[in-house]
Amino acid sequence: MMSFFTGRHPAAQAIMFALLCWPALSMQAAEPDLSLEQTRSYALQSDPALRSQRQLEQAYRQDSAASRYWPNPKIALNAQNLPTDSWSFEQEPMTQIQLGISQMLPRGDSLGLQAQKQSLMAGLSRENQALRARELRREVSLLWLEAARAQAAEQLTAGHLQHLQQQAAVLNRRYRNASGLNADSGPQQQDLLRVELETQRIRERLLNLQQQYQAARQRLNEWLPDNEAASALTLSDAPAFEPSEVLAGIMADDQALAALLMQHPLLAQAENRVASAAADIELARQENKAQWGIQASYGYRGDDAMGNDRADFVSVGVSVDLPLFNGERNERKVAASVRRREAEQTRQQLLLRQLLSAVRNEWAQYQLQRQRLEFYDQTLLPQISRQQQAVESSYGQDRNDFNDVIRALMERLNGDIERLNLLRELHKTAIRLEFYAPGFSELPPAAPAEPASAAQLSMKFGHGTEQE
Protein backbone atom coordinates (compact mmCIF):
# COMPACT_ATOMS: atom_id res chain seq x y z
CA MET A 1 0.00 0.00 0.00
CA MET A 2 2.85 2.36 0.81
CA SER A 3 4.46 2.03 -2.61
CA PHE A 4 1.25 3.14 -4.26
CA PHE A 5 1.66 6.65 -2.74
CA THR A 6 5.43 6.95 -2.79
CA GLY A 7 6.09 6.68 -6.52
CA ARG A 8 7.31 3.07 -6.79
CA HIS A 9 4.50 2.33 -9.22
CA PRO A 10 4.10 5.30 -11.61
CA ALA A 11 1.45 3.41 -13.57
CA ALA A 12 -0.63 3.02 -10.43
CA GLN A 13 -0.27 6.75 -9.75
CA ALA A 14 -1.43 7.58 -13.25
CA ILE A 15 -4.43 5.27 -12.91
CA MET A 16 -5.40 6.81 -9.56
CA PHE A 17 -5.13 10.35 -10.90
CA ALA A 18 -7.19 9.42 -13.96
CA LEU A 19 -9.89 7.88 -11.77
CA LEU A 20 -10.07 10.96 -9.56
CA CYS A 21 -10.21 13.37 -12.48
CA TRP A 22 -12.38 11.20 -14.69
CA PRO A 23 -15.75 12.96 -13.96
CA ALA A 24 -14.41 16.40 -14.91
CA LEU A 25 -12.41 15.12 -17.88
CA SER A 26 -15.29 13.04 -19.23
CA MET A 27 -17.65 16.02 -19.03
CA GLN A 28 -15.23 18.19 -20.96
CA ALA A 29 -14.75 15.52 -23.61
CA ALA A 30 -18.46 14.78 -23.95
CA GLU A 31 -19.81 18.22 -24.76
CA PRO A 32 -18.52 21.73 -25.41
CA ASP A 33 -18.71 24.25 -22.60
CA LEU A 34 -22.18 25.42 -21.60
CA SER A 35 -22.12 29.18 -21.11
CA LEU A 36 -24.13 31.08 -18.54
CA GLU A 37 -26.13 32.88 -21.23
CA GLN A 38 -27.06 29.62 -22.94
CA THR A 39 -28.27 28.25 -19.63
CA ARG A 40 -30.47 31.29 -19.11
CA SER A 41 -31.94 30.95 -22.59
CA TYR A 42 -32.82 27.30 -22.02
CA ALA A 43 -34.52 28.16 -18.73
CA LEU A 44 -36.55 31.02 -20.19
CA GLN A 45 -37.73 28.87 -23.09
CA SER A 46 -38.91 26.02 -20.86
CA ASP A 47 -40.38 27.87 -17.86
CA PRO A 48 -44.08 27.00 -17.38
CA ALA A 49 -44.65 30.04 -15.14
CA LEU A 50 -43.84 32.38 -18.03
CA ARG A 51 -46.23 30.52 -20.32
CA SER A 52 -48.94 30.75 -17.68
CA GLN A 53 -48.49 34.52 -17.34
CA ARG A 54 -48.61 34.96 -21.12
CA GLN A 55 -51.87 33.05 -21.26
CA LEU A 56 -53.24 35.11 -18.38
CA GLU A 57 -52.29 38.32 -20.18
CA GLN A 58 -54.16 37.19 -23.29
CA ALA A 59 -57.20 36.34 -21.16
CA TYR A 60 -57.26 39.82 -19.62
CA ARG A 61 -57.00 41.43 -23.06
CA GLN A 62 -59.95 39.37 -24.26
CA ASP A 63 -61.87 40.41 -21.15
CA SER A 64 -61.02 44.04 -21.90
CA ALA A 65 -62.46 43.76 -25.41
CA ALA A 66 -65.57 41.96 -24.13
CA SER A 67 -66.20 44.60 -21.43
CA ARG A 68 -66.96 47.30 -24.00
CA TYR A 69 -70.21 45.70 -25.20
CA TRP A 70 -73.66 46.68 -23.98
CA PRO A 71 -75.80 44.10 -22.20
CA ASN A 72 -78.13 42.09 -24.41
CA PRO A 73 -81.57 43.55 -25.14
CA LYS A 74 -84.64 41.70 -23.86
CA ILE A 75 -87.57 40.57 -25.99
CA ALA A 76 -90.97 39.78 -24.50
CA LEU A 77 -94.00 38.16 -26.14
CA ASN A 78 -97.24 38.54 -24.16
CA ALA A 79 -100.90 37.66 -24.59
CA GLN A 80 -102.73 40.49 -22.84
CA ASN A 81 -106.26 41.00 -21.59
CA LEU A 82 -107.70 37.64 -22.59
CA PRO A 83 -111.31 37.23 -21.29
CA THR A 84 -111.55 34.44 -18.77
CA ASP A 85 -115.16 33.55 -19.58
CA SER A 86 -114.52 32.47 -23.16
CA TRP A 87 -110.75 32.89 -23.77
CA SER A 88 -111.72 34.33 -27.15
CA PHE A 89 -109.20 36.57 -28.92
CA GLU A 90 -111.99 38.59 -30.68
CA GLN A 91 -114.37 39.13 -27.77
CA GLU A 92 -112.82 42.15 -26.04
CA PRO A 93 -111.30 45.25 -27.66
CA MET A 94 -108.20 45.30 -25.39
CA THR A 95 -107.18 41.70 -26.09
CA GLN A 96 -103.90 41.67 -28.01
CA ILE A 97 -100.67 39.80 -28.68
CA GLN A 98 -97.82 42.12 -27.69
CA LEU A 99 -94.20 41.87 -28.82
CA GLY A 100 -91.81 44.14 -26.88
CA ILE A 101 -88.08 44.86 -26.77
CA SER A 102 -86.13 46.71 -24.06
CA GLN A 103 -82.52 47.80 -23.72
CA MET A 104 -80.77 48.96 -20.55
CA LEU A 105 -77.96 51.47 -21.03
CA PRO A 106 -74.75 51.33 -18.92
CA ARG A 107 -74.23 53.84 -16.16
CA GLY A 108 -72.04 56.72 -17.28
CA ASP A 109 -68.70 55.49 -18.63
CA SER A 110 -68.72 52.26 -16.65
CA LEU A 111 -68.11 50.04 -19.68
CA GLY A 112 -65.07 52.00 -20.79
CA LEU A 113 -63.68 51.99 -17.27
CA GLN A 114 -64.21 48.25 -16.95
CA ALA A 115 -62.35 47.72 -20.22
CA GLN A 116 -59.52 49.97 -19.08
CA LYS A 117 -59.24 48.10 -15.79
CA GLN A 118 -58.99 44.77 -17.60
CA SER A 119 -56.33 46.31 -19.78
CA LEU A 120 -54.45 47.34 -16.64
CA MET A 121 -54.68 43.76 -15.38
CA ALA A 122 -53.18 42.59 -18.67
CA GLY A 123 -50.36 45.09 -18.16
CA LEU A 124 -49.85 43.76 -14.64
CA SER A 125 -49.56 40.25 -16.04
CA ARG A 126 -47.04 41.58 -18.52
CA GLU A 127 -44.96 42.98 -15.69
CA ASN A 128 -45.29 39.66 -13.89
CA GLN A 129 -43.67 38.05 -16.91
CA ALA A 130 -40.80 40.53 -16.87
CA LEU A 131 -40.30 39.98 -13.14
CA ARG A 132 -40.40 36.20 -13.53
CA ALA A 133 -37.82 36.43 -16.32
CA ARG A 134 -35.48 38.41 -14.06
CA GLU A 135 -36.01 36.06 -11.13
CA LEU A 136 -35.40 33.04 -13.33
CA ARG A 137 -32.22 34.54 -14.78
CA ARG A 138 -30.98 35.18 -11.25
CA GLU A 139 -31.96 31.75 -9.92
CA VAL A 140 -30.46 29.79 -12.82
CA SER A 141 -27.32 31.93 -12.85
CA LEU A 142 -26.69 31.22 -9.16
CA LEU A 143 -27.13 27.49 -9.78
CA TRP A 144 -24.75 27.67 -12.74
CA LEU A 145 -22.16 29.54 -10.68
CA GLU A 146 -22.35 27.01 -7.86
CA ALA A 147 -21.88 24.08 -10.24
CA ALA A 148 -19.09 25.84 -12.16
CA ARG A 149 -17.27 26.70 -8.94
CA ALA A 150 -17.45 23.09 -7.70
CA GLN A 151 -16.15 21.80 -11.02
CA ALA A 152 -13.30 24.30 -11.11
CA ALA A 153 -12.39 23.52 -7.48
CA GLU A 154 -12.39 19.81 -8.32
CA GLN A 155 -9.97 20.40 -11.20
CA LEU A 156 -7.73 22.58 -9.03
CA THR A 157 -7.63 19.97 -6.29
CA ALA A 158 -6.88 17.19 -8.77
CA GLY A 159 -3.97 19.24 -10.12
CA HIS A 160 -2.56 19.76 -6.62
CA LEU A 161 -2.95 16.05 -5.93
CA GLN A 162 -0.87 15.30 -8.99
CA HIS A 163 1.78 17.75 -7.82
CA LEU A 164 1.81 16.17 -4.37
CA GLN A 165 2.26 12.75 -5.90
CA GLN A 166 5.19 14.05 -7.93
CA GLN A 167 6.75 15.40 -4.75
CA ALA A 168 6.14 12.03 -3.07
CA ALA A 169 7.96 10.30 -5.93
CA VAL A 170 10.91 12.64 -5.51
CA LEU A 171 10.91 11.95 -1.76
CA ASN A 172 10.92 8.21 -2.36
CA ARG A 173 13.81 8.37 -4.82
CA ARG A 174 15.86 10.60 -2.57
CA TYR A 175 15.60 8.32 0.40
CA ARG A 176 16.20 5.19 -1.67
CA ASN A 177 19.30 6.67 -3.24
CA ALA A 178 20.67 8.42 -0.13
CA SER A 179 23.94 6.86 0.89
CA GLY A 180 24.32 5.73 4.50
CA LEU A 181 20.59 5.98 5.30
CA ASN A 182 18.12 3.19 5.81
CA ALA A 183 14.89 3.63 3.87
CA ASP A 184 12.94 2.25 6.86
CA SER A 185 14.41 4.58 9.46
CA GLY A 186 12.21 6.86 11.56
CA PRO A 187 12.45 10.17 9.68
CA GLN A 188 11.92 8.55 6.29
CA GLN A 189 8.90 6.58 7.46
CA GLN A 190 7.43 9.73 9.08
CA ASP A 191 7.70 11.71 5.85
CA LEU A 192 6.16 8.91 3.83
CA LEU A 193 3.30 8.57 6.29
CA ARG A 194 2.73 12.33 6.18
CA VAL A 195 2.51 12.42 2.40
CA GLU A 196 0.16 9.44 2.42
CA LEU A 197 -2.07 11.21 4.98
CA GLU A 198 -2.17 14.43 2.95
CA THR A 199 -2.93 12.43 -0.18
CA GLN A 200 -5.87 10.80 1.54
CA ARG A 201 -7.10 14.19 2.75
CA ILE A 202 -7.00 15.59 -0.78
CA ARG A 203 -8.83 12.52 -2.07
CA GLU A 204 -11.55 13.11 0.53
CA ARG A 205 -11.64 16.76 -0.52
CA LEU A 206 -12.13 15.65 -4.12
CA LEU A 207 -15.02 13.41 -3.14
CA ASN A 208 -16.64 16.28 -1.25
CA LEU A 209 -16.26 18.58 -4.25
CA GLN A 210 -17.70 15.92 -6.53
CA GLN A 211 -20.68 15.67 -4.19
CA GLN A 212 -21.14 19.45 -4.25
CA TYR A 213 -20.90 19.50 -8.02
CA GLN A 214 -23.41 16.69 -8.49
CA ALA A 215 -25.91 18.35 -6.14
CA ALA A 216 -25.62 21.73 -7.91
CA ARG A 217 -25.61 20.12 -11.35
CA GLN A 218 -28.77 18.12 -10.70
CA ARG A 219 -30.63 21.28 -9.72
CA LEU A 220 -29.23 23.07 -12.77
CA ASN A 221 -30.17 20.23 -15.12
CA GLU A 222 -33.84 20.79 -14.30
CA TRP A 223 -33.66 23.77 -16.67
CA LEU A 224 -31.52 22.14 -19.37
CA PRO A 225 -32.30 19.80 -22.28
CA ASP A 226 -30.99 16.26 -22.02
CA ASN A 227 -28.17 16.84 -24.50
CA GLU A 228 -26.68 19.56 -22.23
CA ALA A 229 -26.82 17.56 -18.99
CA ALA A 230 -23.10 16.68 -19.17
CA SER A 231 -21.68 19.86 -20.71
CA ALA A 232 -18.69 21.37 -18.95
CA LEU A 233 -18.96 24.73 -17.17
CA THR A 234 -16.11 27.23 -17.27
CA LEU A 235 -16.01 29.98 -14.65
CA SER A 236 -14.21 32.98 -16.12
CA ASP A 237 -12.83 35.92 -14.15
CA ALA A 238 -15.03 38.49 -15.90
CA PRO A 239 -18.66 38.53 -14.65
CA ALA A 240 -21.40 38.04 -17.23
CA PHE A 241 -22.80 41.39 -16.08
CA GLU A 242 -20.47 44.25 -15.22
CA PRO A 243 -22.28 46.46 -12.66
CA SER A 244 -19.67 49.21 -12.81
CA GLU A 245 -20.71 50.16 -16.33
CA VAL A 246 -24.34 50.72 -15.28
CA LEU A 247 -24.35 51.73 -11.63
CA ALA A 248 -21.06 53.47 -10.89
CA GLY A 249 -22.12 56.85 -12.24
CA ILE A 250 -25.49 57.06 -10.47
CA MET A 251 -24.94 55.21 -7.19
CA ALA A 252 -24.36 58.45 -5.25
CA ASP A 253 -27.35 60.23 -6.85
CA ASP A 254 -30.60 59.26 -5.13
CA GLN A 255 -32.83 60.70 -7.83
CA ALA A 256 -30.96 59.06 -10.69
CA LEU A 257 -30.89 55.73 -8.92
CA ALA A 258 -34.60 55.99 -8.10
CA ALA A 259 -35.35 56.84 -11.75
CA LEU A 260 -33.42 53.75 -12.82
CA LEU A 261 -35.26 51.53 -10.35
CA MET A 262 -38.64 52.88 -11.48
CA GLN A 263 -38.07 50.87 -14.66
CA HIS A 264 -37.91 47.67 -12.63
CA PRO A 265 -40.89 45.30 -12.99
CA LEU A 266 -41.52 45.36 -9.23
CA LEU A 267 -42.14 49.10 -9.29
CA ALA A 268 -43.94 48.88 -12.62
CA GLN A 269 -46.30 46.41 -10.95
CA ALA A 270 -46.84 48.85 -8.09
CA GLU A 271 -47.55 51.67 -10.56
CA ASN A 272 -50.03 49.44 -12.34
CA ARG A 273 -51.83 48.62 -9.10
CA VAL A 274 -52.07 52.33 -8.28
CA ALA A 275 -53.65 53.01 -11.68
CA SER A 276 -56.04 50.09 -11.17
CA ALA A 277 -57.08 51.52 -7.81
CA ALA A 278 -57.67 54.87 -9.53
CA ALA A 279 -59.95 53.11 -12.02
CA ASP A 280 -61.89 51.62 -9.08
CA ILE A 281 -62.49 55.16 -7.80
CA GLU A 282 -64.07 56.20 -11.08
CA LEU A 283 -66.10 53.01 -11.26
CA ALA A 284 -67.49 53.74 -7.79
CA ARG A 285 -68.40 57.26 -8.92
CA GLN A 286 -70.41 55.87 -11.82
CA GLU A 287 -72.85 54.40 -9.30
CA ASN A 288 -74.05 57.95 -8.62
CA LYS A 289 -75.18 58.32 -12.21
CA ALA A 290 -78.63 57.29 -13.39
CA GLN A 291 -79.13 54.17 -15.45
CA TRP A 292 -81.43 54.67 -18.43
CA GLY A 293 -83.47 52.16 -20.39
CA ILE A 294 -85.59 52.26 -23.53
CA GLN A 295 -88.57 50.09 -24.41
CA ALA A 296 -90.72 49.57 -27.51
CA SER A 297 -93.62 47.20 -28.12
CA TYR A 298 -96.11 46.28 -30.82
CA GLY A 299 -99.60 45.01 -29.92
CA TYR A 300 -101.60 43.00 -32.47
CA ARG A 301 -105.41 42.91 -32.12
CA GLY A 302 -107.78 40.65 -33.99
CA ASP A 303 -111.12 41.62 -35.62
CA ASP A 304 -114.10 42.27 -33.40
CA ALA A 305 -117.11 39.98 -33.13
CA MET A 306 -118.75 41.68 -36.12
CA GLY A 307 -115.70 41.16 -38.33
CA ASN A 308 -114.56 44.77 -38.22
CA ASP A 309 -110.82 45.42 -38.32
CA ARG A 310 -109.20 46.76 -35.16
CA ALA A 311 -106.10 48.99 -35.08
CA ASP A 312 -102.90 47.58 -33.66
CA PHE A 313 -100.97 49.34 -30.86
CA VAL A 314 -97.41 50.68 -30.76
CA SER A 315 -95.81 51.72 -27.45
CA VAL A 316 -92.47 53.52 -26.86
CA GLY A 317 -90.99 54.52 -23.52
CA VAL A 318 -87.92 55.25 -21.46
CA SER A 319 -87.03 54.34 -17.87
CA VAL A 320 -84.53 55.65 -15.39
CA ASP A 321 -83.65 54.57 -11.89
CA LEU A 322 -83.75 57.13 -9.12
CA PRO A 323 -80.63 57.07 -6.90
CA LEU A 324 -82.60 58.07 -3.84
CA PHE A 325 -81.17 55.59 -1.32
CA ASN A 326 -77.58 55.01 -2.43
CA GLY A 327 -76.05 58.44 -1.81
CA GLU A 328 -74.19 57.67 1.42
CA ARG A 329 -73.48 54.11 0.31
CA ASN A 330 -71.75 55.28 -2.89
CA GLU A 331 -69.83 57.96 -1.02
CA ARG A 332 -68.43 55.30 1.26
CA LYS A 333 -67.53 53.13 -1.72
CA VAL A 334 -65.66 56.02 -3.31
CA ALA A 335 -63.88 56.81 -0.03
CA ALA A 336 -62.86 53.15 0.33
CA SER A 337 -61.46 53.12 -3.21
CA VAL A 338 -59.49 56.29 -2.49
CA ARG A 339 -57.96 54.71 0.61
CA ARG A 340 -57.00 51.61 -1.38
CA ARG A 341 -55.24 53.79 -3.92
CA GLU A 342 -53.39 55.61 -1.16
CA ALA A 343 -52.40 52.26 0.35
CA GLU A 344 -50.97 51.17 -3.01
CA GLN A 345 -49.05 54.43 -3.27
CA THR A 346 -47.59 53.87 0.19
CA ARG A 347 -46.58 50.33 -0.73
CA GLN A 348 -44.93 51.69 -3.85
CA GLN A 349 -42.88 54.17 -1.82
CA LEU A 350 -41.88 51.48 0.67
CA LEU A 351 -40.85 49.15 -2.15
CA LEU A 352 -38.71 51.87 -3.70
CA ARG A 353 -36.93 52.42 -0.39
CA GLN A 354 -36.30 48.69 -0.06
CA LEU A 355 -34.90 48.45 -3.58
CA LEU A 356 -32.63 51.44 -3.00
CA SER A 357 -31.28 49.85 0.16
CA ALA A 358 -30.81 46.46 -1.50
CA VAL A 359 -28.96 47.92 -4.50
CA ARG A 360 -26.63 49.99 -2.30
CA ASN A 361 -25.86 46.99 -0.11
CA GLU A 362 -25.07 44.75 -3.09
CA TRP A 363 -22.98 47.51 -4.65
CA ALA A 364 -20.90 47.91 -1.48
CA GLN A 365 -20.37 44.14 -1.33
CA TYR A 366 -19.37 44.09 -4.97
CA GLN A 367 -16.76 46.83 -4.49
CA LEU A 368 -15.22 45.07 -1.48
CA GLN A 369 -15.17 41.72 -3.25
CA ARG A 370 -13.36 43.25 -6.21
CA GLN A 371 -10.76 44.73 -3.87
CA ARG A 372 -10.27 41.38 -2.15
CA LEU A 373 -9.92 39.61 -5.49
CA GLU A 374 -7.31 42.13 -6.63
CA PHE A 375 -5.47 41.60 -3.34
CA TYR A 376 -5.44 37.85 -3.93
CA ASP A 377 -4.21 38.23 -7.51
CA GLN A 378 -1.63 40.95 -6.93
CA THR A 379 -0.30 40.20 -3.45
CA LEU A 380 -1.37 37.07 -1.61
CA LEU A 381 -1.25 34.36 -4.28
CA PRO A 382 2.08 35.58 -5.76
CA GLN A 383 3.60 35.49 -2.27
CA ILE A 384 2.25 31.98 -1.66
CA SER A 385 3.65 30.88 -5.03
CA ARG A 386 7.07 32.37 -4.27
CA GLN A 387 7.06 30.74 -0.86
CA GLN A 388 6.19 27.36 -2.38
CA GLN A 389 8.97 27.64 -4.94
CA ALA A 390 11.47 28.69 -2.28
CA VAL A 391 10.53 25.81 0.03
CA GLU A 392 10.76 23.24 -2.75
CA SER A 393 14.09 24.67 -3.88
CA SER A 394 15.45 24.61 -0.33
CA TYR A 395 14.24 21.06 0.14
CA GLY A 396 16.03 20.07 -3.04
CA GLN A 397 19.22 21.43 -1.45
CA ASP A 398 18.56 19.64 1.88
CA ARG A 399 17.91 22.87 3.76
CA ASN A 400 14.22 22.25 4.61
CA ASP A 401 12.11 19.45 6.01
CA PHE A 402 9.60 17.72 3.74
CA ASN A 403 6.80 18.81 6.08
CA ASP A 404 7.52 22.37 4.94
CA VAL A 405 7.00 21.28 1.35
CA ILE A 406 3.64 19.74 2.18
CA ARG A 407 2.63 22.78 4.21
CA ALA A 408 3.50 25.10 1.33
CA LEU A 409 1.61 22.92 -1.11
CA MET A 410 -1.50 22.92 1.07
CA GLU A 411 -1.29 26.69 1.55
CA ARG A 412 -1.22 27.08 -2.21
CA LEU A 413 -4.22 24.77 -2.62
CA ASN A 414 -6.17 26.59 0.10
CA GLY A 415 -5.27 29.94 -1.43
CA ASP A 416 -6.43 28.84 -4.89
CA ILE A 417 -9.70 27.45 -3.52
CA GLU A 418 -10.35 30.57 -1.45
CA ARG A 419 -9.69 32.74 -4.48
CA LEU A 420 -12.14 30.59 -6.47
CA ASN A 421 -14.77 30.96 -3.72
CA LEU A 422 -14.27 34.72 -3.73
CA LEU A 423 -14.62 34.79 -7.51
CA ARG A 424 -17.90 32.89 -7.21
CA GLU A 425 -19.20 35.38 -4.63
CA LEU A 426 -18.21 38.28 -6.88
CA HIS A 427 -20.15 36.71 -9.75
CA LYS A 428 -23.15 36.11 -7.50
CA THR A 429 -23.19 39.72 -6.35
CA ALA A 430 -22.99 40.88 -9.97
CA ILE A 431 -25.94 38.62 -10.82
CA ARG A 432 -27.97 40.05 -7.95
CA LEU A 433 -27.15 43.58 -9.12
CA GLU A 434 -28.21 42.64 -12.64
CA PHE A 435 -31.63 41.81 -11.21
CA TYR A 436 -32.13 45.53 -10.50
CA ALA A 437 -30.57 46.89 -13.71
CA PRO A 438 -32.59 47.98 -16.77
CA GLY A 439 -31.89 47.31 -20.38
CA PHE A 440 -32.70 43.65 -21.05
CA SER A 441 -35.79 41.59 -21.73
CA GLU A 442 -36.33 38.10 -23.07
CA LEU A 443 -40.08 38.51 -23.35
CA PRO A 444 -41.97 38.28 -26.64
CA PRO A 445 -43.37 41.50 -28.17
CA ALA A 446 -46.25 42.92 -26.18
CA ALA A 447 -49.80 42.47 -27.36
CA PRO A 448 -51.50 45.55 -28.88
CA ALA A 449 -52.17 48.09 -26.16
CA GLU A 450 -55.63 49.20 -25.19
CA PRO A 451 -56.54 52.87 -25.68
CA ALA A 452 -55.66 53.87 -22.11
CA SER A 453 -52.35 52.76 -20.65
CA ALA A 454 -51.58 52.50 -16.94
CA ALA A 455 -49.70 55.80 -16.95
CA GLN A 456 -52.43 57.62 -18.89
CA LEU A 457 -55.15 56.33 -16.60
CA SER A 458 -53.13 57.31 -13.55
CA MET A 459 -52.75 60.85 -14.92
CA LYS A 460 -56.43 61.04 -15.86
CA PHE A 461 -57.73 59.98 -12.47
CA GLY A 462 -55.12 61.75 -10.37
CA HIS A 463 -52.25 60.28 -8.39
CA GLY A 464 -52.07 62.25 -5.21
CA THR A 465 -53.95 62.12 -1.95
CA GLU A 466 -57.54 63.02 -2.53
CA GLN A 467 -60.28 63.87 -0.10
CA GLU A 468 -63.62 62.60 -1.28
Side-chain angles (χ1 to χ4, degrees):
M1 181 67 178
M2 184 69 65
S3 61
F4 184 81
F5 296 102
T6 56
R8 294 180 183 178
H9 297 287
Q13 287 186 348
I15 292 173
M16 186 181 92
F17 177 69
L19 288 174
L20 288 171
C21 299
W22 178 81
L25 295 176
S26 62
M27 285 185 296
Q28 291 179 348
E31 295 290 343
D33 288 357
L34 176 66
S35 69
L36 177 60
E37 201 57 42
Q38 287 175 322
T39 305
R40 290 170 160 181
S41 298
Y42 285 132
L44 290 168
Q45 292 168 9
S46 61
D47 183 37
L50 276 176
R51 290 198 300 270
S52 174
Q53 286 296 333
R54 293 189 191 104
Q55 294 162 353
L56 192 59
E57 177 191 1
Q58 295 170 2
Y60 280 126
R61 295 195 183 281
Q62 294 298 328
D63 285 340
S64 176
S67 298
R68 297 182 180 276
Y69 291 93
W70 283 10
N72 291 328
K74 296 180 180 180
I75 296 179
L77 180 63
N78 301 315
Q80 292 186 341
N81 304 318
L82 285 173
T84 58
D85 56 350
S86 65
W87 301 102
S88 172
F89 187 69
E90 292 84 8
Q91 177 180 332
E92 301 295 334
M94 296 304 297
T95 301
Q96 58 185 287
I97 299 297
Q98 188 178 71
L99 176 65
I101 184 171
S102 62
Q103 174 70 59
M104 296 302 297
L105 304 182
R107 295 181 186 272
D109 193 24
S110 59
L111 293 185
L113 290 170
Q114 285 284 1
Q116 289 172 351
K117 184 173 181 180
Q118 293 298 324
S119 180
L120 288 172
M121 297 301 296
L124 182 61
S125 180
R126 184 75 181 177
E127 297 302 334
N128 288 339
Q129 295 176 53
L131 179 61
R132 173 59 182 171
R134 286 176 180 253
E135 291 175 342
L136 188 58
R137 284 171 63 98
R138 180 181 60 185
E139 176 184 348
V140 172
S141 297
L142 295 179
L143 289 176
W144 187 96
L145 288 171
E146 197 62 39
R149 174 261 171 197
Q151 181 175 321
E154 182 181 341
Q155 294 170 355
L156 272 175
T157 305
H160 281 79
L161 175 61
Q162 183 183 32
H163 186 65
L164 179 60
Q165 291 173 332
Q166 292 171 353
Q167 293 295 328
V170 172
L171 172 67
N172 184 66
R173 287 195 299 269
R174 289 190 59 189
Y175 280 112
R176 281 190 306 168
N177 299 331
S179 59
L181 292 178
N182 187 344
D184 293 330
S185 63
Q188 299 175 27
Q189 190 71 16
Q190 181 180 356
D191 288 343
L192 295 177
L193 289 173
R194 176 67 187 276
V195 74
E196 179 182 356
L197 177 60
E198 293 301 332
T199 303
Q200 296 289 3
R201 285 177 175 172
I202 294 182
R203 291 186 65 193
E204 192 279 331
R205 201 166 183 173
L206 271 173
L207 291 174
N208 183 40
L209 289 171
Q210 290 173 8
Q211 181 182 2
Q212 294 178 18
Y213 171 76
Q214 289 299 328
R217 189 60 193 252
Q218 290 302 321
R219 288 182 293 164
L220 181 64
N221 284 348
E222 294 178 8
W223 302 102
L224 299 177
D226 293 339
N227 61 338
E228 295 287 1
S231 300
L233 313 175
T234 301
L235 182 61
S236 61
D237 282 358
F241 171 75
E242 181 52 61
S244 299
E245 299 177 359
V246 179
L247 301 175
I250 64 173
M251 190 55 63
D253 188 343
D254 289 346
Q255 293 184 351
L257 184 58
L260 181 144
L261 290 176
M262 287 301 296
Q263 305 174 44
H264 195 275
L266 279 171
L267 287 171
Q269 286 179 340
E271 179 68 20
N272 210 302
R273 285 192 291 266
V274 170
S276 181
D280 287 336
I281 296 174
E282 289 302 306
L283 280 171
R285 286 173 176 163
Q286 301 307 306
E287 295 295 326
N288 290 325
K289 297 183 178 180
Q291 184 173 21
W292 293 83
I294 55 176
Q295 303 89 29
S297 63
Y298 177 81
Y300 170 76
R301 294 196 302 167
D303 297 339
D304 59 16
M306 304 298 296
N308 297 321
D309 183 49
R310 291 173 176 171
D312 297 334
F313 293 152
V314 174
S315 303
V316 178
V318 297
S319 64
V320 59
D321 65 341
L322 298 178
L324 298 178
F325 307 109
N326 59 355
E328 183 177 357
R329 179 188 62 188
N330 289 346
E331 288 178 3
R332 292 185 179 278
K333 285 184 176 181
V334 172
S337 299
V338 170
R339 296 300 176 262
R340 291 190 185 97
R341 185 188 63 183
E342 293 172 350
E344 292 296 342
Q345 290 172 340
T346 303
R347 288 177 56 187
Q348 183 182 25
Q349 295 169 3
L350 177 60
L351 180 59
L352 178 59
R353 291 174 57 182
Q354 293 173 342
L355 292 183
L356 286 170
S357 176
V359 169
R360 288 198 175 98
N361 177 61
E362 297 291 354
W363 175 253
Q365 295 297 321
Y366 180 79
Q367 296 294 98
L368 292 173
Q369 288 165 353
R370 285 190 67 96
Q371 294 175 15
R372 289 183 61 196
L373 192 61
E374 292 175 0
F375 175 75
Y376 264 82
D377 291 338
Q378 298 175 10
T379 304
L380 189 57
L381 288 182
Q383 288 183 358
I384 292 176
S385 180
R386 288 193 295 268
Q387 178 189 6
Q388 181 184 5
Q389 294 172 4
V391 169
E392 291 178 357
S393 177
S394 298
Y395 178 72
Q397 301 174 12
D398 294 329
R399 294 201 304 266
N400 268 353
D401 185 69
F402 188 71
N403 287 337
D404 295 331
V405 176
I406 294 180
R407 189 179 301 110
L409 179 64
M410 297 308 297
E411 286 182 359
R412 177 59 187 269
L413 174 59
N414 293 333
D416 288 341
I417 295 297
E418 185 61 29
R419 194 261 183 193
L420 185 61
N421 292 339
L422 181 58
L423 180 63
R424 174 197 58 184
E425 294 305 316
L426 178 70
H427 280 264
K428 284 186 174 182
T429 305
I431 292 299
R432 288 192 292 267
L433 282 170
E434 183 188 31
F435 176 76
Y436 303 106
F440 71 89
S441 176
E442 291 79 10
L443 296 179
E450 293 295 329
S453 65
Q456 293 170 341
L457 195 60
S458 177
M459 293 176 60
K460 174 181 177 181
F461 295 151
H463 206 259
T465 302
E466 183 174 346
Q467 299 295 332
E468 298 296 339

